[in-house]
Amino acid sequence: MDEMTKVRELRSGAPVPDRARLAPGRAKLAEAALAGERRGSLWRRRGFVIVGVVAAVTAVAVTVSLLLGGGTGRKVRPASSPTGSPSLRLKGMSAAEFLRRAADVLGTEPDGTVPTAKQWIYTKSVQEPLTEQAKNATGPMKALLGPQESWLRYDGTAMADLGLDTTGKHRKLNVTKMHLENGGEGDDRSPREMYRVLAALPAGGEQTLKVLREKNAIADGRGASRARDDYVEISVLLTADVMPSKGLASLYRALATVPGGRLTDHLVETAAGRRVVAVSYGREDNPKSGESMQDQWLIDPQTYRIVGMRMVQGGKVVGGDSTVARAVVDEAGDRG
């Protein structure tokens, strides 16, 4: 039986798995992974897929298995220093020092043109870890397992992605109407709303923390420390689709005050093929294996912008995604 026939049979009668349909499931999986930690509030993002999909019909089962201790993941491996960044010396530098350095650079940069309400945020990303099946996929399976492309309107009124048409041979743009602003679809928010919050943050780290604590946009975790609650507030904003430079600098300075950060002393390579700086913060231990888990933020060493986030357990990547490209475009389907 050929590959196309298998895909058709496996997906027979199933709706196209667009971003809107997948969002609730992703949120539930994230909630399970946090094992009681409350993140599902005002600024939670649809953000990251927990792990790479091995096959369409077993996506949920595989995700839970890898997340809670099954599977082998992929070893985090170092990458060489980036061309043009001889001054970036990670050895001996703390996470706080790196974040403050990044903030100082970003704080001097102009924010650039703010998107208009009708513009779209285009994102092309790959899931972490990159499996051999995804790497070698061809035909319809490549569309399912390969890099994913999506568009989100700046005002949060629609999203789009690329699926397969009824023949299973050609890509088709699927557009889903939404209403993210003012709580129109629960606790999610539009890129415009997130941008406005970031643009209004004060420059200092302690001042930014004070603002976030007063807003308390994310419900504090039961029994969690103040440091943990601060980290959760900051981390959700770090996943915003569009970030003003000074707003990101404010978040970095605030994050630098949160204890527990760890800077990897060499560059690491993402599934998207980027060589990046990795800054890790611990999360609750894996409830099944008891192993410690970390959020690992992937930061471009040239621009100091976030280009992905993944979860690491026992030195192995077990979930997340990394960015291949991102742009502001005028229409869904454009790539900039």
Side-chain angles (χ1 to χ4, degrees):
M1 185 178 293
D2 62 22
E3 184 179 61
M4 190 63 246
T5 301
K6 290 181 180 178
V7 172
R8 285 174 178 167
E9 289 181 353
L10 290 172
R11 295 284 299 159
S12 177
V16 176
D18 59 36
R19 191 176 178 183
R21 288 193 181 97
L22 291 175
R26 289 176 181 174
K28 290 178 181 177
L29 287 170
E31 190 71 21
L34 292 168
E37 178 182 333
R38 296 187 62 193
R39 295 183 63 132
S41 192
L42 184 59
W43 301 115
R44 192 184 66 200
R45 304 298 299 148
R46 287 175 303 279
F48 304 103
V49 180
I50 302 303
V51 293
V53 179
V54 173
V57 294
T58 59
V60 174
V62 170
T63 297
V64 174
S65 172
L66 288 177
L67 187 62
L68 299 183
T72 58
R74 179 170 64 84
K75 280 288 186 182
V76 179
R77 61 192 182 93
S80 57
S81 298
T83 302
S85 292
S87 61
L88 185 61
R89 296 287 183 265
L90 300 179
K91 287 188 180 298
M93 184 183 292
S94 69
E97 289 170 335
F98 172 78
L99 289 168
R100 286 193 292 266
R101 171 178 174 161
D104 289 344
V105 173
L106 289 166
T108 64
E109 295 180 355
D111 287 338
T113 303
V114 180
T116 65
K118 295 182 179 181
Q119 287 185 302
W120 298 71
I121 314 304
Y122 164 68
T123 303
K124 183 177 183 180
S125 61
V126 292
Q127 295 176 356
E128 300 267 356
L130 183 63
T131 64
E132 287 300 317
Q133 185 174 5
K135 188 185 301 184
N136 300 321
T138 59
M141 294 305 294
K142 185 174 183 179
L144 291 172
L145 304 178
Q148 300 299 303
E149 296 179 285
S150 64
W151 292 260
L152 179 61
R153 231 175 85 139
Y154 186 62
D155 63 3
T157 59
M159 62 168 53
D161 63 11
L162 285 175
L164 294 174
D165 64 13
T166 54
T167 69
K169 296 180 181 180
H170 305 289
R171 306 302 297 274
K172 177 185 177 183
L173 184 68
N174 303 301
V175 179
T176 303
K177 297 295 183 182
M178 307 182 71
H179 182 70
L180 294 180
E181 295 200 337
N182 302 314
E185 296 203 17
D187 54 15
D188 218 345
R189 288 296 181 268
S190 72
R192 179 167 62 182
E193 287 176 311
M194 298 283 279
Y195 187 96
R196 287 171 176 171
V197 170
L198 289 166
L201 292 176
E206 291 292 348
Q207 293 89 337
T208 294
L209 281 181
K210 181 179 179 181
V211 168
L212 296 179
R213 288 167 183 166
E214 289 174 351
K215 286 182 178 295
N216 196 30
I218 306 279
D220 292 341
R222 183 178 300 174
S225 65
R226 166 161 278 192
R228 184 61 193 169
D229 288 333
D230 288 341
Y231 171 71
V232 172
E233 296 276 358
I234 296 167
S235 66
V236 175
L237 286 169
L238 286 174
T239 67
D241 294 282
V242 185
M243 291 193 194
S245 298
K246 292 178 178 58
L248 180 55
S250 296
L251 290 182
Y252 281 166
R253 291 191 181 103
L255 187 57
T257 71
V258 177
R262 185 179 66 84
L263 178 71
T264 302
D265 67 1
H266 54 261
L267 298 181
V268 302
E269 187 172 330
T270 73
R274 289 177 183 261
R275 296 173 297 172
V276 301
V277 177
V279 178
S280 302
Y281 281 83
R283 63 191 302 149
E284 289 187 349
D285 292 348
N286 185 314
K288 183 175 181 180
S289 67
E291 288 188 279
S292 63
M293 301 178 69
Q294 296 85 39
D295 290 337
Q296 188 176 82
W297 297 94
L298 308 174
I299 301 174
D300 188 294
Q302 305 280 354
T303 66
Y304 296 109
R305 294 276 178 172
I306 293 172
V307 292
M309 192 277 275
R310 58 194 186 186
M311 290 191 298
V312 176
Q313 176 179 302
K316 297 176 182 178
V317 178
V318 295
D321 63 19
S322 54
T323 303
V324 177
R326 175 167 283 166
V328 176
V329 298
D330 292 331
E331 295 180 358
D334 288 351
R335 294 179 174 85

